[in-house]
Amino acid sequence: MAQAWRCAGLSWTAGGPVLIWDGGRRSALTWGKTVAFGVAEGGARTCVGARGNTCPLAARVSARSTGPRCEECARLDRAHSVAADTLADDPRPYRVYLAWFGAGMTKVGITAERRGSARLLEQGAVCFSWLGTGPLMAARRTEELLRAALRVPDRIPYAAKRAARAALPATGEERAAEIAVLHARALELTGWPESLAPAPFRPVDHVEAFGLAEAPAPVGVVGELVAGGAVSGELVAAAGPDLHLATDRGVLVLDTRLLPGWELVPAGGRRVEVPVRALKERPAAQDGLF
């Protein structure tokens, strides 16, 4: 029987996307590389545990879920977390950013300064600009100020982000236009925390980093993995947690958040033997930003 591996997820580095495996092994992903794996026969997707601990129940997890944890382990994993707003005493500096994912889809968020732009790559932000840097609670107050005063959300459904990538403007200037307007309006607001240092508008575009400019448009999305199934194709682009693979069924999007919890084995060819669904169409753009 072939050796089975467990994937811990996708990470973004300065050199591009990297698949991380249990035990610390890493697989760098480059355009044109074949990504191929099978799912062990007779297996099931099980909870990956939390904070370095295995799930005491070895609970089953839905194959369609992008979260690889059972309810109890997910609660434990989010405890004392900036993302879950349960960590308020982190003394390290944080950055507030404006991120753009497609027409009418701009969000505000925060990330630790030490992480650089990794958080934006992980979210699949097509372009972004820093808005300011300061203590965690000052960054949180600025985030809330933009939500209240400019109606900028702090979350955008991932399916909408994915659909928007299929119809991006051709130039970086066009892609940065919406956050340019918002950035200027944000700096004019009263009520900024004094401890947050504003940042100038300097857009960073990720279209080249994601490989989206030259890649064919995807025709479908892997809906879930199944025991005995397989996914194999040539990597043509990647954005956020998504890998765009050229397969025998056209270019398909594989959300790598579906991988953790499964035992994966080697596979070959360009075949896809798991459920695939059509790529959702881009929803109608908003009439305006405000």
Side-chain angles (χ1 to χ4, degrees), residues 30-87:
T30 54
W31 312 143
K33 182 172 184 175
T34 297
V35 176
F37 61 87
V39 185
E41 294 276 1
R45 192 184 190 196
T46 56
C47 174
V48 300
R51 299 187 174 275
N53 301 303
T54 58
C55 177
L57 302 177
R60 296 284 183 93
V61 178
S62 168
R64 297 182 180 181
S65 174
T66 55
R69 295 179 175 86
C70 67
E71 184 175 337
E72 182 60 24
C73 286
R75 183 196 62 77
L76 178 62
D77 189 65
R78 289 178 65 82
H80 203 60
S81 161
V82 170
D85 209 15
T86 56
L87 175 63

Side-chain angles (χ1 to χ4, degrees), residues 28-156:
L29 300 175
T30 54
W31 312 143
K33 182 172 184 175
T34 297
V35 176
F37 61 87
V39 185
E41 294 276 1
R45 192 184 190 196
T46 56
C47 174
V48 300
R51 299 187 174 275
N53 301 303
T54 58
C55 177
L57 302 177
R60 296 284 183 93
V61 178
S62 168
R64 297 182 180 181
S65 174
T66 55
R69 295 179 175 86
C70 67
E71 184 175 337
E72 182 60 24
C73 286
R75 183 196 62 77
L76 178 62
D77 189 65
R78 289 178 65 82
H80 203 60
S81 161
V82 170
D85 209 15
T86 56
L87 175 63
D89 56 354
D90 189 340
R92 294 171 295 187
Y94 278 77
R95 282 173 160 174
V96 186
Y97 61 80
L98 289 169
W100 185 86
F101 300 90
M105 290 195 297
T106 299
K107 63 158 282 188
V108 61
I110 69 172
T111 185
E113 184 181 44
R114 62 182 175 82
R115 296 206 65 208
S117 62
R119 179 66 180 145
L120 285 305
L121 291 162
E122 292 167 357
Q123 293 184 66
V126 175
C127 69
F128 79 94
S129 179
W130 301 120
L131 195 57
T133 304
L136 174 58
M137 294 314 295
R140 279 288 188 219
R141 288 196 297 273
T142 305
E143 186 182 40
E144 178 58 33
L145 176 64
L146 265 68
R147 286 203 303 263
L150 301 181
R151 293 190 292 167
V152 184
D154 63 343
R155 288 179 177 82
I156 293 176

Side-chain angles (χ1 to χ4, degrees), residues 81-270:
S81 161
V82 170
D85 209 15
T86 56
L87 175 63
D89 56 354
D90 189 340
R92 294 171 295 187
Y94 278 77
R95 282 173 160 174
V96 186
Y97 61 80
L98 289 169
W100 185 86
F101 300 90
M105 290 195 297
T106 299
K107 63 158 282 188
V108 61
I110 69 172
T111 185
E113 184 181 44
R114 62 182 175 82
R115 296 206 65 208
S117 62
R119 179 66 180 145
L120 285 305
L121 291 162
E122 292 167 357
Q123 293 184 66
V126 175
C127 69
F128 79 94
S129 179
W130 301 120
L131 195 57
T133 304
L136 174 58
M137 294 314 295
R140 279 288 188 219
R141 288 196 297 273
T142 305
E143 186 182 40
E144 178 58 33
L145 176 64
L146 265 68
R147 286 203 303 263
L150 301 181
R151 293 190 292 167
V152 184
D154 63 343
R155 288 179 177 82
I156 293 176
Y158 193 76
K161 298 179 188 179
R162 179 183 290 143
R165 289 199 297 264
L168 295 174
T171 69
E173 291 77 9
E174 292 174 289
R175 294 189 289 269
E178 290 185 24
I179 56 173
V181 173
L182 272 176
H183 192 284
R185 293 197 61 174
L187 293 183
E188 292 173 355
L189 293 174
T190 58
W192 270 63
E194 292 183 1
S195 56
L196 192 98
F201 178 65
R202 290 176 181 163
V204 178
D205 193 275
H206 285 154
V207 163
E208 183 175 346
F210 291 156
L212 296 174
E214 304 298 329
V219 297
V221 180
V222 172
E224 61 183 293
L225 301 186
V226 294
V231 175
S232 183
E234 178 184 304
L235 183 67
V236 296
D242 287 349
L243 302 181
H244 294 211
L245 304 176
T247 74
D248 60 351
R249 299 168 66 170
V251 175
L252 300 179
V253 175
L254 170 66
D255 188 334
T256 55
R257 295 175 297 179
L258 298 176
L259 273 59
W262 288 102
E263 288 195 339
L264 305 178
V265 296
R270 290 164 63 96

